[in-house]
Amino acid sequence: MTVNDDSFSNWKTREEIAESMIPIIGKLHRERDVTVLLHSRSLVNKSVVSILKTHRFARQIAGAELSVVETLPFLRALTTLDLGPSQIDLAMLAETYRADDRGLSVEAFTAEAVAGATGGNKIERGAGRDVVLYGFGRIGRLVARLLIEKAGSGNGLRLRAIVVRGGGERDIVKRASLLRRDSIHGQFQGTITVDEESGTILANGNAIKVIYADDPSEIDYTAYGVRDAILIDNTGKWRDRAGLSQHLRPGIDKVVLTAPGKGDVPNIVHGVNHDTVKPDERILSCASCTTNAIVPPLKAMDDEYGVLRGHVETVHSFTNDQNLLDNYHSSERRGRSAPLNMVITETGAASAVTKALPELKARITGSSIRVPVPDVSIAILNLQLARETSREEVLDHLREVSLTSPLKRQIDFTTAPDAVSSDFIGSRHASIVDAGAAKVEGDNAILYLWYDNEFGYSCQVIRVVQHVSGVEYPTFPAPAV
């Protein structure tokens, strides 16, 4: 048998194993509200090839490919346990099992590692939490996709309604079409139908009422069956407490803004300061995409090395706020054609760092350039550290943070030597450390951080909403602190 024959035979074997994993993963998700992960990447509703690619991607961050042969026994062990709602990372199970020298069986080790999600420790499945989207633009539609994707067992977040300004003929059909197809993020994964008579979009069985209103004060959400909901304002029209309080109408319990909050509105970056949200806080902000991209790596670097000062230069994809062709704009440079120019502009991300990371004493400055790509940006973080280090030490630290720390859902890591921006479309992390571009000399470190400023940010928004709604389930094995 030739090498080619061996390789193909091995591939077919792994395909068969991955195929056997799909119904197990699906059943755990539907019946027990368990999300199976691999290095923080969900395996729910993934194809055979996607599962294999996710296992192979482990070599980029862990140094070696993870085999389905190795993870399948842990997945099977999960089915024998009385699991409650949780997230379980097969890669972490496999890694910690390899490091364990007690000679336990896979079944015994798995039962011990996820004990916090079983028996008397498990979280009881709730009735779910209603969510309303105010606005249905770029972020609104991606958040909608994520909410629909995560509906799963029906016990988590439930997208009940979207609020938009009144449109013209067949408005709801056009909005459903924009949800169905996206030029950057591709086709919606599932089916979408429209009931024009009732003003409802049906997406993967989720009935989403479309409410037309020009002002928050016009709406009584309880008239649509919405109760105790979290409203996500992705219009950016109101950014202070007074403006956002207008959303606190009958049926709405909390308001989450998908833009930097002003005044005393808390700016929350999940993974960094989400645990500071007070239970009685009704209005909060998810800050900006760039703030979410730079704050987790900043925290990781400050915790290990100390940061004395820093500067962030953001090379950012163009947005709806810019013009397609030269035209009037309240900001002079943003009036120039976005697809044809690099445009110097301002960023509030650096100043927002202190809100999300108040313990960071370093002064952080920032600037930004908008460039002619429709999605994915890069932040160049130039830091003066409190002690000298080496490039190898910094990269080892950030790789470990991306794999095992509480920031592993925020920070990703790539060693791909040919990585470019389009490779990170659809990334669910807040930022991705580009190992090949990093520069470290003495007490100076320059990090290049990719981020999908649309989808990655939307994932952070969902994480914040899950946290404040009480449906953010614990991850096992627990990440190292």
Side-chain angles (χ1 to χ4, degrees):
M1 183 177 284
T2 67
V3 173
N4 284 343
D5 289 335
D6 283 341
S7 297
F8 186 67
S9 177
N10 178 262
W11 170 260
K12 299 301 287 184
T13 299
R14 287 186 290 135
E15 267 191 328
E16 184 178 356
I17 292 172
E19 190 172 316
S20 72
M21 296 172 82
I22 291 175
I24 302 174
I25 293 167
K27 189 172 183 179
L28 285 169
H29 186 58
R30 286 190 309 275
E31 297 183 0
R32 305 193 198 180
D33 240 359
V34 173
T35 300
V36 177
L37 310 173
L38 195 84
H39 283 314
S40 300
R41 290 163 168 79
S42 173
L43 296 183
V44 176
N45 290 329
K46 294 298 187 289
S47 67
V48 167
V49 171
S50 180
I51 290 173
L52 292 175
K53 285 181 67 176
T54 305
H55 278 74
R56 181 163 174 76
F57 184 77
R59 68 194 171 92
Q60 293 260 11
I61 47 182
E65 183 174 344
L66 188 62
S67 171
V68 288
V69 175
E70 189 175 3
T71 57
L72 178 62
F74 294 97
L75 182 61
R76 285 177 171 161
L78 293 177
T79 65
T80 67
L81 302 174
D82 180 27
L83 286 168
S86 55
Q87 299 185 105
I88 299 178
D89 196 314
L90 296 181
M92 288 294 294
L93 277 173
E95 182 177 328
T96 52
Y97 181 69
R98 282 197 301 267
D100 191 89
D101 59 2
R102 292 175 295 165
L104 297 176
S105 67
V106 166
E107 292 75 16
F109 180 84
T110 302
E112 180 182 277
V114 303
T118 60
N121 296 322
K122 69 179 182 181
I123 299 171
E124 291 304 318
R125 300 169 74 185
R129 190 69 175 271
D130 290 355
V131 178
V132 173
L133 294 178
Y134 198 95
F136 206 51
R138 296 297 304 155
I139 298 301
R141 292 193 297 273
L142 290 177
V143 167
R145 285 188 174 201
L146 287 164
L147 288 168
I148 295 163
E149 170 194 299
K150 293 179 181 297
S153 64
N155 294 284
L157 301 175
R158 303 178 302 193
L159 177 56
R160 297 295 305 279
I162 61 173
V163 182
V164 293
R165 289 192 295 270
E169 185 180 358
R170 293 174 60 80
D171 178 271
I172 189 172
V173 174
K174 294 174 183 176
R175 294 186 188 278
S177 181
L178 285 169
L179 179 61
R180 184 181 292 113
R181 303 178 186 89
D182 190 282
S183 300
I184 296 168
H185 300 283
Q187 298 275 348
F188 174 80
Q189 296 300 303
T191 63
I192 294 176
T193 57
V194 175
D195 186 336
E196 290 189 75
E197 186 176 341
S198 66
T200 303
I201 296 173
L202 289 166
N204 289 359
N206 295 267
I208 307 162
K209 178 68 177 178
V210 179
I211 302 171
Y212 293 99
D214 294 323
D215 188 87
S217 63
E218 301 175 9
I219 312 168
D220 178 352
Y221 292 96
T222 59
Y224 302 97
V226 176
R227 300 286 188 276
D228 194 34
I230 296 177
L231 182 144
I232 304 174
D233 183 330
N234 53 85
T235 68
K237 184 175 181 180
W238 305 279
R239 293 171 58 186
D240 59 13
R241 188 172 294 276
L244 293 168
S245 293
Q246 298 177 77
H247 290 305
L248 295 173
R249 304 283 299 154
I252 302 300
D253 178 55
K254 295 180 186 292
V255 178
V256 174
L257 172 66
T258 62
K262 293 183 177 180
D264 67 341
V265 174
N267 280 256
I268 305 302
V269 174
H270 191 275
V272 175
N273 68 334
H274 65 278
D275 55 354
T276 66
V277 179
K278 298 176 182 177
D280 60 351
E281 179 59 75
R282 302 189 71 189
I283 295 174
L284 53 103
S285 156
C286 291
S288 71
C289 55
T290 301
T291 303
N292 276 266
I294 65 174
V295 166
L298 257 177
K299 176 173 173 54
M301 292 297 288
D302 189 51
D303 287 349
E304 181 68 18
Y305 304 103
V307 175
L308 301 181
R309 59 176 169 268
H311 176 82
V312 59
E313 186 74 38
T314 302
V315 183
H316 199 291
S317 59
F318 63 78
T319 67
N320 273 340
D321 179 58
Q322 296 171 258
N323 293 331
L324 286 174
L325 296 172
D326 291 359
N327 213 334
Y328 175 81
H329 194 291
S330 57
S331 173
E332 287 85 353
R333 295 188 201 253
R334 290 198 191 193
R336 302 299 297 277
S337 172
L340 299 177
N341 294 290
M342 293 189 292
V343 179
I344 297 174
T345 186
E346 69 284 343
T347 176
S351 59
V353 166
T354 56
K355 275 194 167 186
L357 200 58
E359 63 269 27
L360 181 71
K361 303 306 179 186
R363 180 172 180 264
I364 306 295
T365 58
S367 52
S368 181
I369 302 172
R370 297 287 180 93
V371 295
V373 294
D375 187 31
V376 180
S377 305
I378 190 166
I380 305 167
L381 195 56
N382 193 333
L383 304 175
Q384 182 184 354
L385 308 176
R387 67 176 176 88
E388 293 192 353
T389 182
S390 67
R391 183 174 182 273
E392 292 73 19
E393 184 187 348
V394 167
L395 292 179
D396 284 346
H397 170 60
L398 292 175
R399 180 189 288 107
E400 190 62 26
V401 166
S402 75
L403 288 171
T404 64
S405 84
L407 290 172
K408 65 180 183 178
R409 285 199 290 170
Q410 283 70 43
I411 299 175
D412 203 2
F413 190 92
T414 181
T415 58
D418 56 350
V420 293
S421 61
S422 61
D423 296 333
F424 305 103
I425 292 174
S427 169
R428 296 179 181 236
H429 289 78
S431 64
I432 305 101
V433 176
D434 191 316
K439 294 173 174 57
V440 180
E441 185 174 344
D443 63 354
N444 178 243
I446 302 174
L447 305 179
Y448 287 73
L449 309 168
W450 297 102
Y451 58 108
D452 184 328
N453 48 277
E454 292 187 333
F455 197 74
Y457 175 68
S458 296
C459 290
Q460 282 288 89
V461 171
I462 290 294
R463 290 171 189 137
V464 170
V465 173
Q466 287 177 318
H467 177 73
V468 300
S469 66
V471 296
E472 182 182 34
Y473 301 140
T475 300
F476 298 96
V481 177

